[in-house]
Structures are given as C-alpha cells and as structure tokens.
Amino acid sequence: MKKIIITIDGWSSTGKSTLAKQLAKSLDYVYVDSGAMYRAITLYFLRNHVDWTDQKEVKKALSEINIEFQNNTKTETSEIYLNGENVEYVIRDLVIAEKVSEIAAIKKVREFAVAQQQKMGEQRGIIMDGRDIGTVVFPDAELKIFMTADSSVRVERRFKELFEKNPNVTIEEVKANLEMRDYIDSHREVSPLKKAKDSFVLDNTHLSEREQFQRAQEWAQKKISGGL
Ligand code: CDP
C-alpha cells in the first residue's frame, strides 16, 4: 500500500502528539515528535550553560548533540534520547517549556533539527507533529492537519498533565507559558507557526479523543487510497 507523509501542526497543547501516536499505531507508521527535539536541545543548552545569544557557542553546542528516537517496547511509542540518555520525561518540565520557544527561534537550531527531520521522512510512512512540519519540513506531504482548540481548554489539559507529575505547578504559570510560546512561535522570523494553505483544520474544543481520531483516520485512509 502507498506510504504517505502526515504532518500535524498547531498551537501548544492541542493534543497533536496524542493524535499522532494513535494514527501511527493504526497505520503502522513511524511517529516523530519534532517538539521533543527542540526540548532536548533546550535541555542540553541549560545543562551546559550555553549562551544561546552567541552564534559560535550555539554552533559548538549543536556539534556536540546527538538526538535519536527509540521505540519503547512497553508503551509501544518512540522516546527521545539525547547523547544516549532517555530524556523523554525530563524535557516535559515547565523549566524547559519556559525557554524552548526562544531557542527554537534560532536559525542554526532550526537548520540542525529540520535537516534530521527531513532525513527521517525519506522513506515516507511517517507522522510528524510540530509547528512548521507542513509548511517547511514536508511541504509536499500528502496529508496536513492543523490543530486548534479554545485556549481555556488547552490550559486545562496541560495543567492536568503537569500537575500529575508536579503538584506545585499552578494553572496561572501554565497559562502564561502557553500564551508566551504561542506568541513567540507564531511571530518568529524563521519558520513561524502558521496554517499551511492545503491543511485540514481540526478544532477539538468539543471533540473527544476518539472523535478526533476517527476524523483524522478517515482523511488518512482517503489520502492513502488516493480519494481525497
Ligand atoms: O506539546 P506542545 O504543543 O506544548 O509543544 P511541543 O510540541 O513539545 O513543542 C515545544 C516547543 O518547541 C514549541 O512551543 C516551539 O517553540 C518549538 N517547536 C518548533 O519551533 N517547531 C516544531 N516543529 C516543534 C516545536
């Protein structure tokens, strides 16, 4: 059967990765969380006190970073490794979320990540979520989905997720973080978040996970069989 590329872009906490994982499982495709790559780079910069306003330091730091995805056989989903260390969970912390958009706006950082992302898609049969996947990374993808939801719903979802891991987190800081990231992500010079013209919009404010999955799965099946 024909293998296609599916891109899922959208605002923070719109459930992109949940949908991407479900689709990848049902189609037996590779799932790549591009946001995890920017989060892992941010983790490296913070741990190593990299001054990211200095181009030379950024270049040197990037040359020391190796990012890989490996399948976790228990959860049956891919997890990110930074220089051999599984950082899938530590990169979800709010400390990383506070800096990631600033770092993801750096041209050299984007070039580094995008080159690897494009390589991962060479064989097609891939689902990647992020901000610029349908516009910059795979402009020729067969199916592009753009996800959105009311901001209060998104804040509530992300707060629940973070609160489970850290009960000290407040809803106000989660809200401020999402607003800040959405602003930086959509206003940066290089590859800003925007809806690709040929994308399908999925507003899941009032949709259950199951409903949104069914809708996306229908689009994917039609694209794979050439009927859309
Ligand atoms: O899960 P959530 O939607 O909150 O964010 P994420 O996908 O983990 O991405 C974290 C951050 O990485 C975003 O806020 C962007 O600043 C950046 N990012 C990006 O610039 N380009 C991408 N393709 C993916 C993420």
Side-chain angles (χ1 to χ4, degrees):
M1 209 186 299
K2 180 177 138 193
K3 293 240 177 208
I4 65 168
I5 294 184
I6 301 176
T7 65
I8 305 183
D9 289 303
W11 303 100
S12 308
S13 273
T14 41
K16 300 179 294 293
S17 65
T18 305
L19 177 64
K21 281 178 196 167
Q22 289 171 329
L23 275 178
K25 229 179 226 176
S26 78
L27 297 169
D28 198 17
Y29 275 22
V30 172
Y31 162 58
V32 177
D33 175 355
S34 72
M37 297 175 73
Y38 294 100
R39 286 174 180 266
I41 295 168
T42 302
L43 176 66
Y44 185 88
F45 281 15
L46 290 177
R47 275 181 177 171
N48 294 283
H49 310 287
V50 174
D51 172 5
W52 57 82
T53 60
D54 181 335
Q55 293 235 24
K56 268 197 200 143
E57 276 206 36
V58 168
K59 199 173 163 208
K60 179 173 173 289
L62 290 173
S63 75
E64 295 159 356
I65 294 179
N66 177 48
I67 290 177
E68 275 173 340
F69 287 91
Q70 278 181 34
N71 200 48
N72 177 328
T73 45
K74 265 194 203 148
T75 56
E76 282 182 36
T77 179
S78 75
E79 295 185 340
I80 191 163
Y81 285 72
L82 168 65
N83 294 337
E85 174 193 352
N86 184 330
V87 293
E88 179 66 30
Y89 301 97
V90 58
I91 57 166
R92 309 292 161 192
D93 201 282
L94 210 46
V95 174
I96 302 295
E98 291 296 343
K99 295 288 174 225
V100 64
S101 290
E102 206 181 304
I103 288 170
I106 302 169
K107 194 163 176 263
K108 283 253 169 307
V109 169
R110 300 208 72 80
E111 285 168 359
F112 174 83
V114 170
Q116 297 185 31
Q117 291 156 5
Q118 289 176 332
K119 214 166 178 341
M120 293 177 208
E122 275 171 0
Q123 309 296 317
R124 306 190 97 75
I126 191 170
I127 302 179
M128 195 177 288
D129 73 335
R131 302 292 186 286
D132 59 339
I133 312 303
T135 51
V136 174
V137 182
F138 299 123
D140 65 340
E142 288 83 353
L143 174 60
K144 300 180 185 178
I145 299 175
F146 188 87
M147 289 183 69
T148 182
D150 281 1
S151 133
S152 57
V153 173
R154 298 195 278 122
V155 170
E156 191 64 38
R157 284 182 192 150
R158 183 52 54 96
F159 173 67
K160 264 195 197 153
E161 233 172 73
L162 291 170
F163 187 80
E164 270 175 27
K165 291 184 212 152
N166 173 11
N168 292 321
V169 79
T170 66
I171 195 149
E172 288 77 22
E173 58 185 339
V174 172
K175 182 171 187 283
N177 179 257
L178 291 196
E179 282 171 0
M180 175 192 71
R181 283 201 287 130
D182 283 346
Y183 183 84
I184 300 178
D185 293 346
S186 55
H187 286 81
R188 68 184 174 218
E189 231 167 86
V190 202
S191 313
L193 164 67
K194 60 175 183 228
K195 186 183 117 32
K197 283 198 190 81
D198 49 351
S199 61
F200 289 82
V201 176
L202 190 52
D203 181 337
N204 61 21
T205 308
H206 304 293
L207 291 182
S208 68
E209 268 181 36
R210 172 129 204 94
E211 286 167 330
Q212 74 170 15
F213 172 59
Q214 283 170 342
R215 202 169 290 188
Q217 205 184 23
E218 249 172 56
W219 291 335
Q221 292 302 354
K222 284 190 181 150
K223 285 288 182 187
I224 290 167
S225 60
L228 200 80

